[in-house]
Amino acid sequence: MGETVKTGRTGTAPDPEERVELLLRDLRTSRSGLSSREAERRLLHHGPNELQRRGGRRWPKELARQVTHPLALLLWVAAALAWVAGIATVAVAIVVVIVVNAAFAFVQEAQAERAVEALAAYLPHRAKVVRDGREEEVEATRLVPGDLLVIEEGDRVSADARLIDGGVEVDLSSLTGESVPAYRSASLADTGVPLIQARDLVFSGTTCTEGEARAVVFATGMRTELGRIAALSERVGREESPLETQVRKVAWLIALIAVVIGAAFTPVAVFAAGLSLEQAVVFAVALLVGNVPEGLLPVITLALAIGVRGLARRGAVVKRLSAVETLGSTDVICTDKTGTLTENRMRVTAVWTDPGEQPIGTPAGPGNTGPGSAGPDSAAVRALAEAVAACNNAHADAGDGTLGDPTEVALLEAARALGEPPDPARRERQRRRHFHFDPVLKLMSTVDERDGAVWVHTKGAPEALLPLCTAVAEPDGGTVLLTPGRLHRVRERVDAYARQRMRVLAVARRRLEPGRPLPDRREEAERGLTLLGLTAMIDPPRPQVADAVAHCRAAGIRIIVVTGDHPLTAAAVARQVGITGDHPTVVNGEDLDAMSEDDLDALLRGQRELIFSRSSPEAKLRIADALRAEGHVVAMTGDGVNDAPALRRADIGVAMGRSGTDVAREASTMVLTDDDFATIVAAVRAGRQGYDNIRKFICYIFAHSTPEITPAVVFALSGGAVPLPLTVLQLLAFDVGTETLPALALGREPAEPGLMNRPPRRRTESIIRAPMLLRAWLFLGVICAALAMSGFFFVLLRAGWRPGDPTGPGEPLNHAYRQATTMTFLGMITGQIGTAFAARTERVSLRSIGVFSNRLLLWGIAFELALAALFIYTPPFQSLLGTAALTPAMLALTVPFPFVVWGADEIRRWLLRRRAADRRAPPARQPPGSPGGRAAGGAP
């Protein structure tokens, strides 16, 4: 943070903290700014004042990644074998499958990226500068080092600059995470401190909330603090998600199985079975295609895309499809405070007058105190509300909201809640004098005419205002002398609010004597004041955060606060929303920087309730890396530029869409369009549900590997005496055509009870485990294969076929053979329907969740049957796939197939539940003195 910024003009690095005259000399400028011609020359040299996004065309690399997936590579091998064997139709069909899979996944990823890139730009479009001796507006991108920048209330700073005149309050939360505006002045020169802490510097991307100043630009574009952090985030590379890693491992497992099976059975087919080379190649292609679940990638992509759209409706825009599943495995959330846990806006929570404290609720709307808001219960409270409404520069916008300095907005809303609706037009009519807020004096005053009298209204820091007060307001509207005892009581209340990390302002007034001239100097106005009371304000937690935190705890998700804010403020908010108890471990930035990696690892392992305050971007990166090295799946939330590097490093970077910066949104994986921390919990729930459903349809897809391979194995082991029961094109039609929609429907299964009460799974946990494979391959798959082959042999034997009889084109049995392969095809589809219902649950009975509760599955099955009819009964597909029309008797044979598969799995699950219940049951109680029982009178 404290490094100097090179201007790029002379190769030197001027120190922005050096004396102003030296800095102006080094930047070759003056207090009157640059000339237009010099500014144009510097623009050519330094380049535009903008952040450089990730350059280059990335789509070729992304598209190449889709077509080189291990499953796709296996299909490329199958296509090459088919082409070499002269089976061009099969080769083309396999290539089409690869291209469709890759294109679909690529388009979904690109659409998700564009959804976030469409969010509003972060940097301002225009800036005020002094050129040729006069003020003018220029495009912010045309600012150059040496320009004299004019900064006024409400402006967003366009470049890093050194103040040379005036003072401003600046909202630095996008860079530091600190929610309270910081005062910056040309008179407050700092040396030897980090740039971000220098009180005479302002930075690109921050906002001026009050005051006016002039500043000389010393850094633009990527040389600014904003650019430095953006560059840091760009250097953090993207890593595979847990799902991508698991799918890749599964793909290599499938490839290994396919190669082993092909290597084992091909010699048998050639030498033992006596097949020709062409038949052996067909056999090898059938084995490869049968082992590769072509529908796996498109179904995963479709399911994740549906999850992305569902999350978008809930307020979460996900940029990467696989992030949906990663959310489900998240076990640590590192959350920022400002703007994430809190609203990033000040709010008055209480006012204190001499009678006592009065809480302030949130007003329901303009001119309306709303439910839970405070109402004036004394003349002193009414007077305080009138004073803060008069001594205020905030104003209502067209949407009935309030604009201006966050503190003044909060005071105006408090006045509204106390029954003093804001009326800026009336306020301006009544105002006679205005003494602007002075950051040195810490006071602001106005002189206003109201109800036939002229009043001085003053607000400011208690330590500055109390010495100017001689009286205090009483409940009935009278005044009483501010004695040392009363003053001590006021200061005790100020200290009590300060201990709660609240910002306290004192409010006072004085009635001017009729006929006396209005004060022209603030010293004349700000004396002999009557203290009306105190206002206590805080950046409040978001209302939904406490419930969201409770859900995270129930789900076994650990929450760590990592913020640039003050440690006491962070601890107070964390305690208020339930993240920590009364005594969390708080580590500030300096202590963290001094820690070794081993110390940090030990701290993260040993302390559950952790708060990291005053954290730099590098510190957030260290924390994310340390957690990920321990095997945790980390979600990092944030909205500021300072969060961007850690957002990119984390497994899930969660940025705010409304209050977040553009740099943070680009670095993130997920953007919360509603800026609601509670949306993260909904996203985690959706991720867990998605993971469960992916397992369901993987089981469903894998269950078909056995019936797909069985025809090729029967063909090979019979030495060609049994013709191939299923052609390669029929196999592709089954894999890609008929199984996709039911598999996708399984991806829409509702969440099972207790989903958010389970602990998070570990990063290394495989999505495919042995019990799933045994169920899919050796139980459901074997049943489906047996049913499909029974249909095949039923048709052939009924037609008079005997092993070894020719069935090729032109042979008498060719039509029966085509019907038999069609019967295998339909038998696999009907068995597939039973598998779909069986895969909906792992342990519980299907009746417990409703047989017909997944309507999309019913529509998918209807589509599957309609598509099967199209393949079987239309001449174009009969010619392409080698199918033939089936008789009613053949169709009737397949009707029980779904019920056989489903029923068998229902029995299996019932046995598993019964066995689990027996293990949980307590042992039978035996009478005292019996064998194994407790002897009478023995010790318990």
Side-chain angles (χ1 to χ4, degrees):
M1 286 282 203
E3 65 200 44
T4 54
V5 182
K6 292 189 178 183
T7 66
R9 182 173 180 81
T10 63
T12 61
D15 181 2
E17 295 175 306
E18 65 185 347
R19 284 193 301 116
V20 172
E21 290 74 16
L22 296 178
L23 181 62
L24 294 174
R25 182 201 65 189
D26 291 343
L27 290 171
R28 298 185 182 180
T29 186
S30 68
R31 291 179 180 270
S32 58
L34 300 172
S35 67
S36 297
R37 287 195 298 176
E38 175 63 17
E40 290 298 322
R41 283 196 295 269
R42 296 192 182 195
L43 182 63
L44 290 174
H45 187 84
H46 294 282
N49 175 37
E50 60 187 8
L51 299 182
Q52 297 171 2
R53 307 291 189 254
R54 283 174 288 173
R57 293 183 299 171
R58 290 181 294 155
W59 67 263
K61 181 179 178 181
E62 292 297 318
L63 192 57
R65 189 167 62 89
Q66 302 295 343
V67 297
T68 55
H69 191 278
L71 290 182
L73 292 176
L74 205 56
L75 289 177
W76 283 116
V77 173
L81 286 173
W83 185 267
V84 169
I87 319 170
T89 307
V90 174
V92 171
I94 295 174
V95 171
V96 168
V97 170
I98 298 170
V99 172
V100 169
N101 286 350
F104 186 82
F106 174 75
V107 168
Q108 287 295 332
E109 296 275 1
Q111 287 178 347
E113 289 280 357
R114 282 198 296 270
V116 177
E117 289 171 359
L119 295 171
Y122 177 63
L123 290 174
H125 296 292
R126 310 282 295 177
K128 259 181 259 179
V129 295
V130 176
R131 287 184 181 172
D132 299 319
R134 63 178 184 275
E135 285 189 19
E136 61 178 273
E137 273 199 1
V138 299
E139 295 287 336
T141 57
R142 303 185 71 81
L143 284 179
V144 294
D147 258 326
L148 190 64
L149 192 62
V150 179
I151 305 170
E152 297 175 337
E153 182 177 327
D155 287 348
R156 180 161 282 180
V157 182
S158 308
D160 288 3
R162 163 79 173 270
L163 298 180
I164 62 172
D165 182 43
V168 289
E169 280 201 343
V170 184
D171 180 2
L172 295 172
S173 59
S174 64
L175 288 177
T176 65
E178 185 75 58
S179 55
V180 178
Y183 179 58
R184 296 289 186 260
S185 171
S187 62
L188 300 174
D190 284 319
T191 58
V193 299
L195 292 189
I196 203 72
Q197 297 177 16
R199 292 175 296 169
D200 53 353
L201 302 183
V202 291
F203 299 95
S204 176
T206 60
T207 304
C208 174
T209 59
E210 190 166 344
E212 182 176 336
R214 293 192 175 195
V216 60
V217 174
F218 64 84
T220 59
M222 295 300 289
R223 297 181 178 89
T224 62
E225 283 293 295
L226 189 74
R228 186 187 71 83
I229 298 174
L232 179 62
S233 70
E234 292 296 323
R235 290 195 293 269
V236 178
R238 173 187 178 274
E239 296 186 10
E240 282 191 336
S241 71
L243 178 63
E244 289 172 321
T245 303
Q246 292 296 330
V247 170
R248 192 168 294 277
K249 287 181 179 178
V250 169
W252 287 117
L253 174 64
I254 293 171
L256 178 63
I257 291 172
V259 171
V260 169
I261 291 177
F265 280 95
T266 302
V268 175
V270 174
F271 299 109
L275 298 183
S276 66
L277 181 60
E278 181 179 351
Q279 288 176 319
V281 171
V282 171
F283 171 68
V285 171
L287 279 178
L288 279 175
V289 174
N291 271 287
V292 177
E294 291 84 359
L296 179 62
L297 292 182
V299 168
I300 288 179
T301 303
L302 280 167
L304 294 177
I306 290 171
V308 165
R309 286 192 288 272
L311 286 174
R313 288 193 294 270
R314 298 178 186 177
V317 177
V318 178
K319 296 170 63 177
R320 202 168 71 234
L321 293 180
S322 59
V324 176
E325 182 274 337
T326 309
L327 280 163
S329 59
T330 298
D331 63 341
V332 178
I333 297 176
C334 294
T335 177
D336 191 18
K337 179 192 76 68
T338 304
T340 308
L341 299 178
T342 67
E343 296 179 355
N344 198 19
R345 52 175 296 191
M346 302 303 291
R347 178 178 295 169
V348 177
T349 58
V351 297
W352 182 91
T353 59
D354 193 55
E357 182 180 85
Q358 183 161 330
I360 300 290
T362 304
N368 165 355
T369 57
S373 62
D377 60 1
S378 70
V381 173
R382 288 194 297 272
L384 184 145
E386 292 171 1
V388 297
C391 188
N392 201 305
N393 290 327
H395 58 278
D397 65 9
D400 289 333
T402 310
L403 301 175
D405 175 78
T407 299
E408 299 213 327
V409 169
L411 290 171
L412 205 60
E413 291 178 346
R416 176 187 295 155
L418 291 169
E420 182 68 20
D423 187 345
R426 185 184 67 179
R427 181 181 66 197
E428 295 304 318
R429 288 196 306 269
Q430 295 176 344
R431 183 171 290 180
R432 298 293 176 263
R433 293 284 188 275
H434 179 201
F435 301 105
H436 287 278
F437 174 77
D438 187 316
V440 177
L441 297 176
K442 299 181 180 179
L443 294 172
M444 170 184 172
S445 297
T446 59
V447 179
D448 307 285
E449 185 175 348
R450 186 185 179 108
D451 300 329
V454 180
W455 299 85
V456 174
H457 296 112
T458 304
K459 71 175 189 288
E463 64 272 18
L465 185 58
L466 289 177
L468 305 177
C469 296
T470 58
V472 62
E474 291 191 302
D476 60 0
T479 62
V480 64
L481 193 66
L482 185 61
T483 63
R486 290 192 176 95
L487 183 61
H488 179 70
R489 192 153 64 99
V490 174
R491 285 175 172 159
E492 280 187 335
R493 174 50 54 182
V494 171
D495 291 341
Y497 284 138
R499 283 193 295 270
Q500 299 175 50
R501 307 310 303 165
M502 292 184 174
R503 189 180 187 190
V504 185
L505 288 180
V507 183
R509 72 176 183 180
R510 175 167 71 95
R511 182 171 179 172
L512 298 181
E513 296 179 14
R516 296 290 296 271
L518 299 179
D520 290 323
R521 296 186 304 129
R522 68 187 315 149
E523 292 83 359
E524 298 172 0
E526 296 167 347
R527 61 181 178 81
L529 301 171
T530 297
L531 178 67
L532 299 176
L534 307 171
T535 63
M537 63 188 74
I538 197 170
D539 182 7
R542 295 180 179 274
Q544 305 88 345
V545 168
D547 285 341
V549 169
H551 284 301
C552 287
R553 285 185 173 275
I557 299 172
R558 181 185 182 190
I559 303 177
I560 299 174
V561 178
V562 186
T563 177
D565 214 335
H566 191 282
L568 294 178
T569 305
V573 171
R575 181 172 60 252
Q576 190 172 353
V577 300
I579 292 176
T580 67
D582 293 331
H583 305 289
T585 300
V586 182
V587 181
N588 64 39
E590 292 180 358
D591 292 339
L592 178 61
D593 291 341
M595 283 185 182
S596 67
E597 298 301 328
D598 291 340
D599 291 340
L600 178 58
D601 292 344
L603 177 70
L604 291 169
R605 282 194 300 267
Q607 300 293 334
R608 289 292 299 176
E609 296 185 351
L610 269 176
I611 296 173
F612 293 93
S613 66
R614 301 298 192 197
S615 298
S616 66
E618 291 83 358
K620 292 186 175 184
L621 269 178
R622 283 189 67 196
I623 294 167
D625 283 339
L627 288 167
R628 295 180 77 249
E630 291 290 318
H632 296 288
V633 179
V634 181
M636 179 75 71
T637 72
D639 60 352
V641 175
N642 61 323
D643 299 320
L647 290 176
R648 186 175 293 280
R649 173 70 79 192
D651 296 286
I652 294 290
V654 184
M656 304 297 126
R658 291 181 181 175
S659 61
T661 63
D662 188 48
V663 173
R665 290 194 293 260
E666 284 195 358
S668 67
T669 312
M670 182 173 75
V671 179
L672 303 183
T673 59
D674 55 4
D675 283 17
D676 190 349
F677 182 84
T679 305
I680 299 173
V681 179
V684 170
R685 179 183 176 85
R688 290 190 175 191
Q689 178 183 343
Y691 179 83
D692 282 356
N693 291 344
I694 287 174
R695 283 179 51 84
K696 290 174 183 177
F697 68 63
I698 286 179
C699 177
Y700 166 78
I701 291 174
F702 273 35
H704 306 143
S705 294
T706 304
E708 289 173 2
I709 294 172
T710 300
V713 173
V714 169
F715 169 68
L717 293 181
S718 69
V722 176
L724 194 62
L726 189 73
T727 67
V728 175
L729 285 177
Q730 288 171 354
L731 186 56
L732 284 173
F734 173 80
D735 254 343
V736 181
T738 64
E739 83 174 2
T740 302
L741 271 185
L744 177 60
L746 289 173
R748 295 292 300 274
E749 281 289 323
E752 296 182 13
L755 183 69
M756 289 298 287
N757 293 326
R758 303 192 313 228
R761 66 185 183 277
R762 293 189 62 81
R763 174 191 291 273
T764 55
E765 179 182 310
S766 176
I767 196 170
I768 297 175
R769 287 170 290 199
M772 175 198 286
L773 294 179
L774 292 174
R775 180 191 182 194
W777 286 342
L778 300 183
F779 186 77
L780 294 172
V782 168
I783 295 173
C784 288
L787 293 172
M789 293 308 299
S790 67
F792 173 77
F793 286 113
F794 168 78
V795 173
L796 274 184
L797 293 173
R798 190 180 178 190
W801 170 84
R802 293 293 178 268
D805 289 350
T807 57
E811 299 292 341
L813 288 173
N814 180 252
H815 180 69
Y817 168 67
R818 289 165 64 96
Q819 281 186 319
T821 59
T822 306
M823 192 68 173
T824 307
F825 177 69
L826 183 60
M828 290 171 60
I829 290 175
T830 51
Q832 188 180 54
I833 294 172
T835 303
F837 279 102
R840 291 183 61 191
T841 63
E842 288 193 35
R843 290 294 183 95
V844 300
S845 171
L846 187 58
R847 288 179 299 174
S848 64
I849 63 171
V851 176
F852 303 110
S853 59
N854 189 340
R855 293 189 177 182
L856 183 61
L857 179 61
L858 302 179
W859 282 109
I861 290 171
F863 174 82
E864 184 177 21
L865 293 174
L867 194 62
L870 188 70
F871 289 161
I872 294 171
Y873 291 102
T874 59
F877 283 104
Q878 287 177 343
S879 175
L880 176 66
L881 303 177
T883 56
L886 300 178
T887 65
M890 297 174 187
L891 294 176
L893 181 65
T894 63
V895 171
F897 287 5
F899 300 98
V900 172
V901 178
W902 176 16
D905 198 65
E906 281 285 339
I907 295 172
R908 184 194 65 86
R909 280 180 274 127
W910 176 77
L911 292 172
L912 287 175
R913 293 195 302 273
R914 183 173 178 180
R915 184 183 306 168
D918 289 343
R919 283 199 300 266
R920 289 193 301 267
R925 190 171 182 180
Q926 300 181 11
S930 62
R934 189 177 64 199

